[in-house]
Amino acid sequence: MPAEVLHEASKAVKKFGSTGSSILELSHRSKEFMDIVEESKTLVKQLCGIGSDYDVLWMQGGGRLQFCMIPMNFLDAKGAAGYLDTGHWADEAQQYAANYGKADVLASSKKANYNHLPEWPKKVPASLSYLHITTNNTIYGTQWQTIGESGAPLVADMSSDIFSGKRDYTRYAMFYAAAQKNLGAAGNTLAVIRKDFLARAKNELPPMLSYKANVKENSILNTANVFGVYVSLLTLRWIKEKGIATIEKENKAKAKLLYDALDSSKVFTPHVKEKTHRSRMNVCFTTANAKQEKAFLEFCDARDITGIKGHRLAGGFRASLYNAIELSSVERLVAVMKEFEAQAV
Ligand SMILES: *Cc1c(COP(=O)(O)O)cnc(C)c1O
């Protein structure tokens, strides 16, 4: 989280604006909260370069609720959806959908432990209800830098790389992001849906699980996550202030620094060899054996570097270089890696 956002959020917990009360006490039906919702929706559209043909929603239930709602709303009994299986979350999204209807895996790199992106399918037929992709694979560290053709409406999980760089958002019928990586605090989720795609959603659903009902009620169908939406608004303001171009430049520099160190290392090995498949958000790497892995973790711990243990499914190490991480933190990590190497070889 950016320091400025933490500062503003903690102020609001004590006293929010001129209300005299805490943001935690604010009614989700108050004018103040409606202003928060409206400003955040405007900022999302501005930052994405999308217009009034899209609806912006704040929801709860994280990424996984979207995994459920997308097939429930858009996959009908006779149809099929396509999924690109590029990592753990992409796989989970497909499995959730397969519980509900026909969810075809059009490409997968699972057998290679997701250490590269599969080839984009030659043809994505328009007969599919949608094609679901995961733009950045958080656990294994791959990221689509170019998005291929799709005859079917494109739906993307952008949980771990939204607003990390320039992107043509108009290509998507829908995209969503759980806030906890680049967009605020856990418990809030952004979903953006193009109106012509929304029109295809089923009507006969319980309102909480219906995108149409949530859009109709402007994100306050039930008691909203007031604080979570506010923290996302603060994050959006921070992103706008900084500018996506600057954020992208910094993210490229951070990732290059770390990948260069990995590529020239005798001790550490990057999980993803193919440079054009590498994630700028999550850099995954390993050491030769478990003993060395433990030694490096302790080495880092003693030098105040935390949170670089890999995901429990992938093992090894993962440095997550989300927007709020500063270049100096990556420089420090690389210096510590070099220091470790010097004493290890
Ligand atoms: C973290 C993450 C999720 C998980 O979201 P939850 O909010 O925990 O359900 C989904 N997709 C991607 C790409 C993620 O990085």
Side-chain angles (χ1 to χ4, degrees):
M1 303 275 301
E4 298 91 320
V5 172
L6 291 178
H7 177 70
E8 282 298 313
S10 52
K11 265 196 346 204
V13 168
K14 295 229 170 85
K15 187 169 171 294
F16 177 64
S18 58
T19 60
S21 57
S22 162
I23 183 97
L24 302 179
E25 297 166 320
L26 193 66
S27 161
H28 67 292
R29 300 202 181 272
S30 64
K31 166 157 191 325
E32 286 82 4
F33 185 62
M34 276 302 98
D35 289 346
I36 291 172
V37 170
E38 286 315 313
E39 186 187 342
S40 63
K41 282 166 58 170
T42 304
L43 278 175
V44 166
K45 286 187 178 177
Q46 271 181 11
L47 291 168
C48 293
I50 55 174
S52 55
D53 50 334
Y54 282 86
D55 283 309
V56 178
L57 275 178
W58 293 114
M59 305 188 78
Q60 301 177 52
R64 285 175 182 83
L65 187 64
Q66 302 304 307
F67 295 174
C68 306
M69 282 179 68
I70 290 162
M72 290 178 93
N73 281 264
F74 297 111
L75 182 54
D76 60 62
K78 289 191 210 95
Y83 279 76
L84 300 192
D85 175 22
T86 52
H88 172 75
W89 297 117
D91 181 36
E92 200 163 308
Q94 187 273 336
Q95 288 183 35
Y96 273 51
N99 274 315
Y100 198 78
K102 199 162 174 312
D104 298 337
V105 177
L106 303 189
S108 174
S109 53
K110 191 183 219 161
K111 286 208 180 85
N113 201 21
Y114 299 117
N115 69 1
H116 65 279
L117 290 168
E119 219 178 293
W120 190 274
K122 293 255 161 355
K123 191 166 173 3
V124 180
S127 57
L128 292 174
S129 300
Y130 58 85
L131 173 70
H132 182 278
I133 66 167
T134 308
T135 50
N136 180 70
N137 298 286
T138 325
I139 295 178
Y140 297 91
T142 58
Q143 183 177 26
W144 290 107
Q145 304 296 352
T146 43
I147 305 295
E149 291 301 316
S150 173
L154 200 50
V155 174
D157 178 357
M158 300 185 181
S159 291
S160 54
D161 70 349
I162 193 157
F163 301 135
S164 65
K166 284 173 248 147
R167 162 179 286 149
D168 182 4
Y169 288 90
T170 64
R171 288 214 47 202
Y172 299 87
M174 172 175 175
F175 53 93
Y176 62 98
Q180 63 265 31
K181 280 125 189 171
N182 260 345
L183 205 50
N188 190 34
T189 304
L190 172 73
V192 182
I193 313 174
R194 209 173 52 217
K195 288 194 164 91
D196 63 341
F197 188 57
L198 181 68
R200 297 187 190 186
K202 269 178 227 169
N203 293 313
E204 56 284 8
L205 285 167
M208 275 300 280
L209 299 172
S210 156
Y211 286 121
K212 280 182 180 164
N214 278 279
V215 165
K216 189 158 166 270
E217 298 298 328
N218 197 17
S219 299
I220 53 163
L221 177 63
N222 76 321
T223 309
N225 177 359
V226 171
F227 184 61
V229 174
Y230 182 60
V231 175
S232 288
L233 169 62
L234 294 175
T235 310
L236 288 163
R237 285 182 186 157
W238 177 82
I239 293 169
K240 188 183 171 194
E241 172 84 24
K242 203 158 173 158
I244 300 263
T246 305
I247 290 176
E248 177 174 284
K249 211 168 115 214
E250 289 181 6
N251 284 337
K252 278 184 177 165
K254 280 153 35 184
K256 181 174 186 325
L257 185 65
L258 190 47
Y259 281 119
D260 283 352
L262 290 169
D263 286 335
S264 62
S265 170
K266 290 194 177 66
V267 170
F268 302 103
T269 313
H271 182 64
V272 180
K273 307 282 182 303
E274 177 54 54
K275 290 192 176 155
T276 58
H277 295 188
R278 285 175 169 174
S279 168
R280 288 187 197 127
M281 292 282 100
N282 310 97
V283 180
C284 299
F285 55 99
T286 52
T287 50
N289 54 53
K291 191 164 156 252
Q292 206 167 39
E293 189 172 310
K294 185 161 171 281
F296 183 59
L297 267 183
E298 286 167 6
F299 198 80
C300 285
D301 221 29
R303 284 156 185 81
D304 277 344
I305 292 180
T306 56
I308 63 151
K309 197 170 171 15
H311 191 276
R312 66 196 148 80
L313 293 168
F317 300 96
R318 174 177 57 168
S320 290
L321 313 181
Y322 297 128
N323 289 348
I325 294 283
E326 287 173 9
L327 181 67
S328 58
S329 302
V330 187
E331 285 168 348
R332 171 89 179 116
L333 173 62
V334 168
V336 167
M337 287 164 72
K338 298 234 152 100
E339 191 189 343
F340 182 79
E341 279 189 52
Q343 55 99 67
V345 288

